Amino acid sequence: MSSEELSIGSYIVRRLEEQRVGSMFGVPGSFIANFLDIVEASKISWVGECNELTAAYAADGYARYKGELGVLATTVGVGELSAINGIAGSFAEELPILHIVGQQKTKDQDEGLNIIHTLGNGRYDEFAKSALPYTCSQYLLNKTDINLGVADIKIDKVIVDCISQSRPAYLALPWDLVDVKITTTRLYEPLKKEEVLINADAEKAAIEHIYRRFEDAFEGELVNNVVVIADVSISRHHCKKEVAAFLEATQLPVYGTPLGKTAVNETSDRYGGIYVGDLSSPDVKKSVENAKLVLFIGPLNTDFNTGNFSYKISDDKSIKLHFDHTEVGFATYARTGMKELLPKLTDRLKDFTEKARQLDVPEFRNEDVDDEDEPINHAWLWWRVGGWFIEDDLIITEAGSVSYGVIDLALPKGSSLLAQKLWASIGWSTGATHGATLARRELEGDKAPQTILFIGDGSLQMTVQALSAMMRSKVKPIIFVVKNGGYTIERLQHSIDAEYHNIVTWDYGKLLSVLNNVEEPTPTKTYQVSNQQELGKLFDSGEFRNNGCLQLVEIIVSRDDAPPALKRALHIQDNAVESDSGLETWAPHRIKMGGSAPVRMIGW
Amino acid sequence: MSSEELSIGSYIVRRLEEQRVGSMFGVPGSFIANFLDIVEASKISWVGECNELTAAYAADGYARYKGELGVLATTVGVGELSAINGIAGSFAEELPILHIVGQQKTKDQDEGLNIIHTLGNGRYDEFAKSALPYTCSQYLLNKTDINLGVADIKIDKVIVDCISQSRPAYLALPWDLVDVKITTTRLYEPLKKEEVLINADAEKAAIEHIYRRFEDAFEGELVNNVVVIADVSISRHHCKKEVAAFLEATQLPVYGTPLGKTAVNETSDRYGGIYVGDLSSPDVKKSVENAKLVLFIGPLNTDFNTGNFSYKISDDKSIKLHFDHTEVGFATYARTGMKELLPKLTDRLKDFTEKARQLDVPEFRNEDVDDEDEPINHAWLWWRVGGWFIEDDLIITEAGSVSYGVIDLALPKGSSLLAQKLWASIGWSTGATHGATLARRELEGDKAPQTILFIGDGSLQMTVQALSAMMRSKVKPIIFVVKNGGYTIERLQHSIDAEYHNIVTWDYGKLLSVLNNVEEPTPTKTYQVSNQQELGKLFDSGEFRNNGCLQLVEIIVSRDDAPPALKRALHIQDNAVESDSGLETWAPHRIKMGGSAPVRMIGW
């Protein structure tokens, strides 16, 4: 590459190509068009969504599956604000999304004119400010920087911040500056993620400290010695391989968490299920809480992840490996990160492997269920689904009630589960499925294993147009729409019969054909099942998995039914759907502990 | 009403009922449910939309048609941020929308817990901050205010600010405070809009100043004396009656503006068409720009409204009546408002009526067109539509290319045109139509005249789920979907053949039946027309207007066709669709003046 001049728009696109961005998501609008001309001429595919929110969700799903940069492009004001909820979700859940915003000409901005997509008050600077809480870095391209010859440096910085901090970043491009030429000198050097600066001495001290704690814990008889809790930051910080090697070498008993599903192999006989505080199965709760030492890898404390903050593990007996620091009991070791530390720790702890191998692990496996000539209910559904999953499936669950469906399952080796469970914006999963399937196709080709989405009807109605965009992209997920006529997770929490929880029932059987391109339809298949044997038959046919087209399966369940894990979380007794007596003063998602114990404890 | 205790939620609902709020729009979510229980038990109808953005648009349309308070209710974070683009549009276009946000419990907020719908960083205060630029007032309910006994005062203030400033306001309700009891003492006194404080002496001086300018202008021969330009703030500030009385009494020649359509009666023989700077018809341009004195009522300078700031009227010969001040030449009279001033001015200027009556006004009327056995094109379409409109029609146009369709038409007496043309967020009009038709039904009953929406296919795909919500509400607009396969207004501005402008063609014929409630479908009718005689036949059948159900008419036009007014604005010669030569350096919506004059000047 020789040092030449290049337009700023082209410079940015070259940087994105360099970061292996294969798809860019968005909606064209007045002030982004000249940048999109450059994208259209590049190696990056433009993926036009029907609206900006689904585009933001798609960029999230793309980055979430790929573990790399996702890019969203919108016009100013109307476009970017439509996407901001998606960006906030990517911030909450640590995804590197670069949001490129095409703005009005600098001259119009300087004059404060009342032109299209303005507030009518001359304030052109408000939109970037609105995005501040949800972005780790912002750069608003301007003439001064171009004149000073530093625009390239600042563009590079916003991209590096985005990938290094794994959070959304904001890049504004005024219309008249996109085609301004700058030198390409900096393109000689590819942009690199800034890794955590490791202090080798601190790392060594932390490892020795952990070693001593293991020595103490493994003294005496081989019961309740050490357990590992593998959590979501393993996936977020791309340490699955390091963790798998650690577990293989040490043979320690390992437990998951709701958010940490698929961070480790759940079919291993060293895997004992998920620990979720007071909502854990008695076996798991006992094993974890009685352990002398608990090694947390990548922990994240949220209500959903911790059984509403009901962990019973003292700090004193905890070791916590984070991406940028390590805690051993009450000692914190800064500048030590799990990705670098784990291989060394694996090596250091090999003395304990023989003992660890002898530690008991509760059995954790999916229950076999028969397909009866009965209506589908959640208690049957999820076990049946669990038996149908195969290795390397990509499973995506919407934030609503279906997200509880897979919690009880041992998910297959190599599978991935994507779910947005802290931000929990319903409607996220349609766009995210589009983005994730495109990422998968980029990485693994058209023969990539199946992507499977579970979504409720209320969530689907939020962002239904993403189905159209998926058909346009010819991606081929299997989409299960759980139809129960409303916002079930809300309904079960508060005022179960309130009219506001209800939605109308669409004709899901014809939905794909209506949102397809009538001029050149993408092949699809649609099914409706309400009986266990109907769905069982579908699962048992080899074709269903390999139809090579997008498929939608409408699963009809009764209004107030829910996955067992959700019922347990809400203290709902099976066959008696009603909230507990503390209803009136009970806030959503703050599960009231105490009171009657959950009746069903299937699977844990 | 005796002074009793009432929950804060009920207090708010009572205030909203008092403000004649008949419908509240939103989506139920975790933290708004206990407030919605109170709404459900009140006189206010809860209107659940499929997502928060269409809910915000619906509240906008409701307030825009009714001229009164609209209310939106969402959950925190995910819900409110999904709606923020709609709120920003209501801010830009001066609509009083109260956005009620249900938040997490105060205790959880104080502790900064990572619970659902948070950013994971303990910052619960970011969302309200994001809304600051788009709200005129905010109140975050809190325990301190309740303990101090001032929560009612502050709730009242945020509502009064909202209706007085006619801008969105933000009211946050933590879950645990909704049911806290407060006294009802303040409910004795209904809330009132704070009117502009009028300085009677200043008003008198302004009227005398205007009188003297009229005296000067009417000296000499009766040509080019005085013209009125009636603009959009007349509608926004509810002065249509005062303006109609003024025009009737003074008989002055009056012109409209693109945003000011339907502010005055366009079928009056004193109405001469619209003035839009260099894009005006030669007759109008000459009459307005040669006038000795131009009286602007409720002017608003935006690119769309002023032919891209190409007015040729000096300040010296301008009089401008605003809602809160008056300009006469270079003199500004503060604390004078058009609503109060106009009746007095009407009286004071009666000396000039006889002279004004003699002033010529260019003829402005719709062109009659024949229905040929030809494809529908925009040049034919809008005249045909114009001939079909009748008195009191409510016409709503999406912000895209269709918004230019009605500009050339003389709209019938009593008709209203709603369009969001400064903020111009495509997709707005589906939700807005839902809200506006509900407002109309509240005010005028089920026999209210027809509501007619024009929307392009790209815009419809943004917010298609609003159709489902409309069917659920059993409102009965006629919806014309102009199908041209893409974002036409963008396409005609830049890179006409770019792939990113394209969308796929849905099966609009089946769209309503798919989004309808399959369990109990609302009656609807759907049509597809591509030939002039097909649409003409529909228009000529009396039934079409009176079918008593929601109707969707798909109008197929060619990809690059556009309403004549849009082609003129873009300097596109008819039958030769290409942008002008200044394309590369030409920013969207900044129309390049000079160069070849528009070829078609139909209607002006």
Side-chain angles (χ1 to χ4, degrees):
Chain A
M1 186 184 310
S2 64
S3 174
E4 291 164 1
E5 291 220 313
L6 201 60
S7 74
I8 291 179
S10 299
Y11 181 91
I12 293 166
V13 166
R14 290 270 283 273
R15 282 304 198 198
L16 300 180
E17 287 173 342
E18 176 198 290
Q19 291 299 313
R20 294 168 298 282
V21 171
S23 301
M24 186 184 299
F25 302 89
V27 178
S30 315
F31 301 106
I32 192 76
N34 58 357
F35 178 70
L36 296 190
D37 289 341
I38 300 168
V39 174
E40 202 156 288
S42 79
K43 293 176 200 155
I44 299 172
S45 299
W46 171 249
V47 184
E49 293 277 345
C50 295
N51 67 40
E52 288 88 356
L53 183 56
T54 61
Y57 289 156
D60 178 300
Y62 179 89
R64 205 180 274 253
Y65 181 73
K66 203 174 170 193
E68 297 187 6
L69 185 63
V71 183
L72 170 71
T74 68
T75 196
V76 72
V78 293
E80 60 183 305
L81 291 185
S82 288
I84 200 168
N85 173 34
I87 293 294
S90 299
F91 181 89
E93 308 223 340
E94 299 183 69
L95 280 315
I97 309 297
L98 183 66
H99 186 177
I100 299 176
V101 177
Q103 291 185 328
Q104 295 93 344
K105 284 172 74 173
T106 48
K107 184 166 178 297
D108 294 353
Q109 296 195 40
D110 293 346
E111 290 177 15
L113 293 178
N114 291 343
I115 65 173
I116 192 168
H117 307 332
T118 62
L119 295 168
N121 58 4
R123 298 295 301 260
Y124 283 71
D125 58 341
E126 302 286 22
F127 314 125
K129 280 197 232 158
S130 289
L132 273 175
Y134 323 117
T135 45
C136 68
S137 185
Q138 296 196 340
Y139 179 50
L140 282 59
L141 179 66
N142 59 79
K143 282 190 207 161
T144 308
D145 286 349
I146 296 172
N147 292 340
L148 292 171
V150 297
D152 50 354
I153 299 173
K154 295 195 175 180
I155 289 165
D156 288 354
K157 181 179 187 305
V158 81
I159 298 171
V160 169
D161 287 345
C162 184
I163 59 178
S164 302
Q165 298 186 44
S166 198
R167 301 273 194 181
Y170 183 98
L171 175 57
L173 305 180
W175 176 272
D176 52 317
L177 303 185
V178 168
D179 293 322
V180 172
K181 297 279 197 296
I182 57 173
T183 64
T184 60
T185 320
R186 286 180 63 87
L187 290 178
Y188 284 98
E189 197 68 41
L191 296 181
K192 275 193 203 129
K193 192 170 164 174
E194 286 172 0
E195 301 293 347
V196 176
L197 280 178
I198 299 299
N199 179 330
D201 291 336
E203 190 180 62
K204 201 171 163 191
I207 288 170
E208 286 313 306
H209 196 166
I210 294 170
Y211 183 86
R212 290 199 308 279
R213 296 300 305 267
F214 267 67
E215 272 189 328
D216 295 345
F218 274 108
E219 263 189 280
E221 62 172 333
L222 284 175
V223 63
N224 301 331
N225 302 74
V226 180
V227 300
V228 174
I229 295 180
D231 208 344
V232 62
S233 290
I234 295 171
S235 307
R236 288 193 185 169
H237 293 277
H238 317 299
C239 301
K240 278 186 172 190
K241 279 184 194 168
E242 291 80 0
V243 173
F246 174 80
L247 293 173
E248 178 61 29
T250 61
Q251 289 292 308
L252 287 162
V254 59
Y255 299 87
T257 67
L259 290 176
K261 294 281 300 173
T262 70
V264 296
N265 176 11
E266 299 175 8
T267 59
S268 157
D269 57 12
R270 305 307 290 158
Y271 184 78
I274 70 172
Y275 177 68
V276 57
D278 288 350
L279 293 173
S280 310
S281 79
D283 273 5
V284 171
K285 186 169 161 63
K286 201 174 125 197
S287 300
V288 171
E289 295 179 358
N290 287 345
K292 293 179 196 157
L293 194 60
V294 180
L295 175 65
F296 293 88
I297 312 183
L300 184 71
N301 288 339
T302 77
D303 53 354
F304 176 72
N305 209 31
T306 62
N308 201 41
F309 310 105
S310 62
Y311 273 25
K312 302 280 183 301
I313 304 165
S314 68
D315 285 343
D316 181 47
K317 65 176 195 179
S318 300
I319 298 172
K320 294 178 183 166
L321 311 186
H322 301 279
F323 84 101
D324 62 351
H325 70 287
T326 307
E327 297 173 74
V328 186
F330 294 104
T332 297
Y333 296 85
R335 294 206 173 173
T336 61
M338 60 181 169
K339 196 172 180 72
E340 298 74 19
L341 184 139
L342 271 166
K344 296 163 194 162
L345 193 64
T346 302
D347 194 50
R348 187 72 182 100
L349 296 181
K350 61 181 187 291
D351 300 352
F352 304 103
T353 302
E354 281 318 306
K355 286 182 174 177
R357 196 193 301 279
Q358 297 170 54
L359 298 174
D360 281 341
V361 181
E363 192 181 21
F364 182 72
R365 60 171 192 79
N366 294 337
E367 215 172 85
D368 283 329
V369 289
D370 293 324
D371 305 340
E372 306 292 347
D373 185 14
E374 295 282 341
I376 294 172
N377 57 48
H378 281 277
W380 172 87
L381 175 64
W382 297 101
W383 291 128
R384 192 63 177 86
V385 162
W388 172 71
F389 286 146
I390 61 172
E391 285 191 9
D392 298 324
D393 275 343
L394 168 58
I395 303 155
I396 301 176
T397 57
E398 181 52 81
S401 53
V402 295
S403 62
Y404 288 81
V406 295
I407 285 182
D408 290 337
L409 306 181
L411 296 177
K413 197 177 164 190
S415 66
S416 305
L417 175 67
L418 305 186
Q420 192 205 51
K421 280 303 296 178
L422 173 57
W423 188 242
S425 181
I426 63 168
W428 162 85
S429 71
T430 57
T433 297
H434 188 195
T437 45
L438 285 173
R440 197 155 212 203
R441 191 163 75 188
E442 281 176 24
L443 294 174
E444 302 159 45
D446 215 26
K447 295 284 171 200
Q450 200 48 262
T451 298
I452 299 154
L453 166 64
F454 295 93
I455 184 170
D457 50 356
S459 301
L460 180 67
Q461 293 189 5
M462 286 251 166
T463 53
V464 65
Q465 41 279 85
L467 296 178
S468 182
M470 279 192 247
M471 289 185 278
R472 192 176 182 184
S473 293
K474 303 197 191 310
V475 292
K476 298 157 186 171
I478 296 176
I479 300 172
F480 293 95
V481 178
V482 177
K483 201 220 84 172
N484 51 23
Y487 305 108
T488 299
I489 196 165
E490 309 296 335
R491 184 197 296 290
L492 295 180
Q493 284 173 55
H494 187 83
S495 296
I496 191 162
D497 291 316
E499 173 63 25
Y500 57 77
H501 291 311
N502 299 338
I503 61 170
V504 301
T505 298
W506 290 358
D507 187 352
Y508 299 105
K510 300 209 184 76
L511 188 58
L512 292 182
S513 71
V514 163
L515 304 184
N516 211 329
N517 185 355
V518 292
E519 286 157 12
E520 200 180 331
T522 299
T524 64
K525 285 185 188 290
T526 299
Y527 314 84
Q528 187 189 60
V529 296
S530 58
N531 178 290
Q532 297 178 9
Q533 291 177 346
E534 287 169 349
L535 183 58
K537 211 172 141 190
L538 202 58
F539 281 166
D540 291 342
S541 83
E543 283 167 28
F544 178 55
R545 265 202 169 268
N546 302 297
N547 270 325
C549 66
L550 188 148
Q551 301 181 86
L552 186 151
V553 185
E554 177 185 358
I555 301 178
I556 299 174
V557 297
S558 76
R559 194 193 78 166
D560 302 332
D561 194 15
L566 178 56
K567 291 187 182 181
R568 284 196 305 275
L570 299 176
H571 287 206
I572 295 170
Q573 308 206 354
D574 211 31
N575 301 321
V577 177
E578 52 187 9
S579 301
D580 65 1
S581 59
L583 195 70
E584 289 200 8
T585 57
W586 174 80
H589 301 279
R590 292 305 307 266
I591 297 140
K592 209 169 179 178
M593 289 301 139
S596 61
V599 167
R600 285 180 69 94
M601 297 292 276
I602 301 169
W604 55 18
Chain B
M1 184 186 309
S2 65
S3 175
E4 292 164 0
E5 291 219 314
L6 202 60
S7 74
I8 291 179
S10 299
Y11 181 91
I12 293 165
V13 166
R14 289 271 282 274
R15 282 303 197 199
L16 300 180
E17 288 173 341
E18 176 197 292
Q19 291 299 313
R20 293 166 301 280
V21 171
S23 302
M24 185 185 298
F25 302 89
V27 178
S30 313
F31 301 105
I32 192 75
N34 58 357
F35 179 70
L36 296 190
D37 289 341
I38 300 168
V39 174
E40 201 156 289
S42 78
K43 292 176 200 154
I44 299 172
S45 299
W46 170 252
V47 185
E49 293 278 346
C50 295
N51 68 39
E52 288 88 355
L53 183 56
T54 61
Y57 289 157
D60 179 299
Y62 179 89
R64 205 179 274 253
Y65 181 72
K66 202 174 171 193
E68 297 187 8
L69 185 63
V71 183
L72 170 71
T74 69
T75 196
V76 72
V78 292
E80 61 183 303
L81 291 185
S82 288
I84 200 169
N85 173 35
I87 293 294
S90 299
F91 182 88
E93 309 223 339
E94 299 183 69
L95 279 315
I97 309 296
L98 182 67
H99 186 177
I100 299 175
V101 177
Q103 291 185 328
Q104 294 92 345
K105 285 172 74 173
T106 47
K107 185 167 176 296
D108 294 352
Q109 296 195 41
D110 293 346
E111 290 177 16
L113 294 179
N114 291 343
I115 65 172
I116 192 167
H117 308 332
T118 62
L119 295 168
N121 58 4
R123 298 294 302 259
Y124 283 71
D125 58 342
E126 303 285 23
F127 314 124
K129 279 198 231 158
S130 289
L132 272 175
Y134 323 117
T135 45
C136 68
S137 184
Q138 297 197 339
Y139 179 50
L140 282 60
L141 179 65
N142 59 79
K143 282 190 207 163
T144 308
D145 285 349
I146 296 172
N147 293 339
L148 292 172
V150 297
D152 50 354
I153 298 173
K154 295 195 174 180
I155 289 165
D156 288 355
K157 181 178 186 309
V158 80
I159 298 171
V160 169
D161 286 346
C162 184
I163 57 179
S164 303
Q165 299 186 44
S166 199
R167 302 272 194 181
Y170 182 98
L171 175 58
L173 304 180
W175 177 272
D176 53 316
L177 303 186
V178 168
D179 292 322
V180 172
K181 296 279 196 297
I182 55 173
T183 63
T184 58
T185 321
R186 285 180 62 87
L187 290 177
Y188 284 98
E189 197 69 41
L191 296 181
K192 275 196 203 125
K193 193 170 163 173
E194 284 173 0
E195 301 293 347
V196 176
L197 279 178
I198 299 300
N199 179 329
D201 291 337
E203 189 181 64
K204 202 172 161 190
I207 288 170
E208 286 313 306
H209 196 168
I210 294 169
Y211 184 86
R212 290 199 307 277
R213 296 300 304 267
F214 266 68
E215 272 190 327
D216 294 347
F218 274 108
E219 261 190 283
E221 61 173 333
L222 285 176
V223 64
N224 301 331
N225 301 75
V226 180
V227 300
V228 174
I229 295 182
D231 208 343
V232 62
S233 291
I234 295 170
S235 307
R236 288 193 185 171
H237 293 278
H238 317 299
C239 300
K240 278 186 172 191
K241 277 185 194 166
E242 290 80 0
V243 172
F246 174 80
L247 293 172
E248 176 62 27
T250 61
Q251 289 293 308
L252 286 163
V254 58
Y255 299 86
T257 68
L259 290 176
K261 293 282 300 174
T262 69
V264 296
N265 176 11
E266 299 176 7
T267 57
S268 157
D269 57 10
R270 304 308 291 158
Y271 184 78
I274 71 171
Y275 176 68
V276 58
D278 287 351
L279 293 173
S280 310
S281 79
D283 274 4
V284 171
K285 188 168 160 64
K286 201 175 125 196
S287 300
V288 171
E289 294 179 358
N290 287 345
K292 293 180 197 159
L293 195 60
V294 180
L295 175 65
F296 293 88
I297 311 183
L300 185 71
N301 288 340
T302 77
D303 52 355
F304 175 72
N305 209 31
T306 61
N308 201 41
F309 309 107
S310 62
Y311 273 25
K312 302 281 183 300
I313 304 164
S314 68
D315 284 343
D316 182 46
K317 64 177 194 178
S318 300
I319 297 172
K320 294 178 183 166
L321 311 187
H322 302 280
F323 84 99
D324 61 350
H325 69 288
T326 306
E327 297 173 74
V328 186
F330 294 104
T332 297
Y333 295 86
R335 295 206 173 172
T336 61
M338 61 180 168
K339 198 173 179 72
E340 298 75 18
L341 183 140
L342 271 165
K344 295 164 195 160
L345 192 64
T346 301
D347 193 51
R348 186 71 181 99
L349 296 181
K350 62 179 187 293
D351 300 352
F352 304 102
T353 302
E354 280 319 305
K355 287 182 174 179
R357 194 194 303 278
Q358 296 170 54
L359 297 175
D360 282 341
V361 181
E363 193 181 21
F364 181 71
R365 59 173 191 79
N366 293 338
E367 215 172 87
D368 283 329
V369 289
D370 292 325
D371 306 340
E372 306 291 348
D373 185 14
E374 295 282 342
I376 293 171
N377 57 47
H378 281 278
W380 172 86
L381 175 64
W382 297 101
W383 291 129
R384 191 63 176 88
V385 162
W388 172 71
F389 286 145
I390 61 173
E391 285 192 10
D392 298 324
D393 275 343
L394 168 58
I395 303 155
I396 301 176
T397 58
E398 182 52 80
S401 52
V402 295
S403 62
Y404 287 83
V406 295
I407 285 182
D408 290 337
L409 307 181
L411 295 177
K413 196 177 165 192
S415 66
S416 305
L417 174 68
L418 305 186
Q420 192 204 51
K421 282 302 298 177
L422 173 59
W423 188 241
S425 181
I426 63 167
W428 163 86
S429 70
T430 57
T433 297
H434 189 195
T437 45
L438 284 174
R440 197 156 212 205
R441 192 162 73 186
E442 281 177 22
L443 294 174
E444 301 159 45
D446 214 25
K447 295 285 172 201
Q450 199 49 263
T451 297
I452 299 154
L453 166 64
F454 295 93
I455 184 169
D457 49 357
S459 301
L460 180 67
Q461 293 189 5
M462 286 252 166
T463 52
V464 64
Q465 41 279 87
L467 296 178
S468 181
M470 279 192 248
M471 288 185 278
R472 191 176 184 186
S473 294
K474 302 197 190 311
V475 294
K476 298 157 186 171
I478 296 176
I479 299 172
F480 293 95
V481 178
V482 177
K483 201 220 82 171
N484 50 24
Y487 305 108
T488 300
I489 196 165
E490 308 297 335
R491 184 197 296 292
L492 296 179
Q493 284 173 54
H494 187 82
S495 295
I496 191 162
D497 291 317
E499 173 63 23
Y500 57 76
H501 292 309
N502 298 339
I503 61 171
V504 301
T505 298
W506 290 359
D507 187 352
Y508 300 104
K510 299 209 185 77
L511 189 57
L512 293 182
S513 72
V514 163
L515 304 183
N516 210 330
N517 185 355
V518 291
E519 287 158 11
E520 201 181 329
T522 299
T524 64
K525 285 185 189 290
T526 298
Y527 314 83
Q528 188 189 59
V529 295
S530 58
N531 178 290
Q532 297 178 8
Q533 291 177 346
E534 288 169 348
L535 184 57
K537 210 172 140 191
L538 202 58
F539 281 167
D540 290 342
S541 83
E543 283 167 27
F544 178 55
R545 266 201 168 269
N546 302 297
N547 269 325
C549 66
L550 188 148
Q551 300 181 86
L552 186 151
V553 185
E554 177 185 357
I555 300 179
I556 299 174
V557 298
S558 76
R559 195 193 76 165
D560 302 332
D561 193 16
L566 177 57
K567 291 186 181 180
R568 284 196 304 276
L570 299 176
H571 287 205
I572 294 170
Q573 307 205 353
D574 212 30
N575 301 323
V577 177
E578 53 188 11
S579 301
D580 65 1
S581 59
L583 195 71
E584 289 202 8
T585 57
W586 175 81
H589 301 280
R590 292 304 308 266
I591 296 140
K592 210 170 181 181
M593 288 302 137
S596 61
V599 168
R600 285 179 70 93
M601 297 290 276
I602 301 168
W604 54 20

